[in-house]
Amino acid sequence: MPTETVYGLAASIHRPDAIKNIFRIKGRPQDNPLIVHIADWSMLPPLVSSYPPLAKELARRYWPGPLTMILPKSPAVSDEITANRADVGIRCPKHPVARELIACAGAPLAAPSANLSGRPSPTCALHVLDDFDGKIPMILDGGASQVGLESTVVRVYDDHLQVFRPGGVTSEMLREVCADVVLDPGICQETAPQGAVPSPGMKYRHYAPKAEVILLVAKKEPFIRYIREHQGDGVYAMVFDGEKQYLSGNVIAYGADAKKQAHEIFAALRKLDDLGAKRVYIHAPSKQGLGLAVYNRLIRAAGFRVVTL
Ligand code: TXA
Ligand code: MG
């Protein structure tokens, strides 16, 4: 199904067989829980054992939209969906087709992003077809995803919020509702490969093209110089719009501001595969506002290989 963030691979929460299939066809690690999608707030209370007033306030402000709230689950949500966790992630998407689909199904829909595990998330129907042609019964084509990267994932407590994955609802926006917003350190750095992580998606290298990716934190001039020195067969540079003119050879561009970068990043990473890139140097975005979400996806695409010039 299309959503305003990325496309999702959806199954009714009442269909354990379909939930199993999601894990199987994505090649998704069994310990990585699925987000449950609802059409409006009234569908939330049966899914949770309790919720703080702050959750309702966040929903009032940012739902429908790119915000997933992690709350204590009720027995209505199976252990398969939450990967045996006591909490469930819940989101009310904004895309009209997603909302209509949930209404038609008459049930909440569990849905991870509709990509093979590890691949860049899909922001149009064709990306889904690339990964799952012949493996799923149907794709609802709702056009290009408006935001372009996945929802903000937030654990909601009585008096504070912990952000596990930055997204379209920025931490600045969260602070408008709750003064105490904690960014998990795993957002911008590698977490220990073993042991418990608060949100399993944090620990995997993903969003990755087949090429080796290196993220370059640099101002324009040193960045351009570095690319010129490192160009070669199968080597690509992913630059901001407006930087292409300084370079020749294998160069693709993504947006110059965070909103455009969010919108274009996954299509750009997929394009690198189509071009047969072997190594890619990417100009790191600013970590301000929505930029933090773009940065978070890119360090994972890079397997945490970051070079600061
Ligand atoms: O925008 C989105 O969130 C998209 C669209 C389809 O709604 N969905 C999406 O799902 O990105 P997925 O499965 O690709 O990413 C869900 C992330 C994972 O990193 C997962 O670990 C985390 O949310 N997550 C889900 N449930 C959780 C839970 N109960 N506790 C901690 N983290 C959870
Ligand atoms: Mg995903």
Side-chain angles (χ1 to χ4, degrees):
M1 66 170 172
T3 87
E4 75 282 13
T5 56
V6 302
Y7 276 66
L9 198 57
S12 162
I13 64 160
H14 305 307
R15 289 283 304 270
D17 53 332
I19 300 287
K20 270 204 190 78
N21 275 342
I22 287 179
F23 282 88
R24 188 176 55 79
I25 75 162
K26 263 186 75 91
R28 185 177 182 91
Q30 292 293 335
D31 68 351
N32 201 1
L34 308 179
I35 293 173
V36 174
H37 296 69
I38 58 178
D40 54 45
W41 174 266
S42 72
M43 293 175 83
L44 179 139
L47 302 173
V48 299
S49 61
S50 66
Y51 64 84
L54 183 52
K56 190 148 195 191
E57 185 55 25
L58 283 167
R60 204 183 56 75
R61 196 70 175 264
Y62 298 121
W63 276 4
L67 177 69
T68 296
M69 292 197 258
I70 311 277
L71 292 164
K73 85 174 191 79
S74 77
V77 181
S78 70
D79 291 337
E80 280 69 36
I81 291 170
T82 65
N84 295 312
R85 290 182 169 249
D87 293 336
V88 57
I90 304 177
R91 175 164 113 78
C92 177
K94 193 170 192 173
H95 197 294
V97 175
R99 305 185 57 163
E100 187 72 26
L101 181 66
I102 299 165
C104 289
L109 300 180
S113 51
N115 52 286
L116 288 169
S117 228
R119 291 263 291 151
S121 293
T123 53
C124 65
L126 215 57
H127 294 165
V128 183
L129 194 68
D130 278 347
D131 283 9
F132 294 124
D133 193 11
K135 293 184 179 146
I136 52 175
M138 189 188 295
I139 301 170
L140 293 177
D141 188 347
S145 295
Q146 196 197 339
V147 179
L149 41 73
E150 309 88 337
S151 61
T152 307
V153 176
V154 161
R155 177 66 166 91
V156 185
Y157 297 94
D158 288 346
D159 58 353
H160 74 283
L161 299 172
Q162 189 174 14
V163 181
F164 296 140
R165 182 175 73 182
V169 173
T170 62
S171 29
E172 291 83 352
M173 290 162 76
L174 294 173
R175 282 195 190 100
E176 288 174 22
V177 179
C178 173
D180 194 356
V181 177
V182 182
L183 296 184
D184 194 280
I187 286 175
C188 282
Q189 69 197 42
E190 193 164 15
T191 48
Q194 256 88 47
V197 288
S199 183
M202 302 172 86
K203 69 184 173 188
Y204 299 109
R205 173 179 194 254
H206 49 194
Y207 316 115
K210 292 181 186 105
E212 173 192 21
V213 176
I214 297 137
L215 195 59
L216 296 177
V217 178
K219 295 224 161 59
K220 187 171 97 184
E221 284 74 23
F223 173 74
I224 301 286
R225 211 176 315 123
Y226 191 94
I227 298 300
R228 285 188 183 138
E229 284 163 8
H230 288 77
Q231 274 177 330
D233 220 26
V235 179
Y236 280 74
M238 196 166 131
V239 307
F240 302 150
D241 276 337
E243 290 177 337
K244 221 172 166 174
Q245 54 183 311
Y246 303 105
L247 293 162
S248 55
N250 298 333
V251 182
I252 69 165
Y254 73 129
D257 63 71
K259 201 168 170 196
K260 286 209 190 90
Q261 287 170 350
H263 188 71
E264 293 169 16
I265 175 181
F266 286 134
L269 291 175
R270 280 179 180 259
K271 189 168 168 198
L272 290 164
D273 275 348
D274 296 342
L275 292 166
K278 300 275 177 290
R279 174 182 292 179
V280 186
Y281 294 104
I282 301 182
H283 201 173
S286 137
K287 292 187 211 165
Q288 297 303 305
L290 186 57
L292 183 66
V294 181
Y295 185 89
N296 168 269
R297 305 316 188 266
L298 285 176
I299 45 167
R300 282 167 172 77
F304 300 96
R305 294 178 51 137
V306 182
V307 176
T308 304
L309 298 179

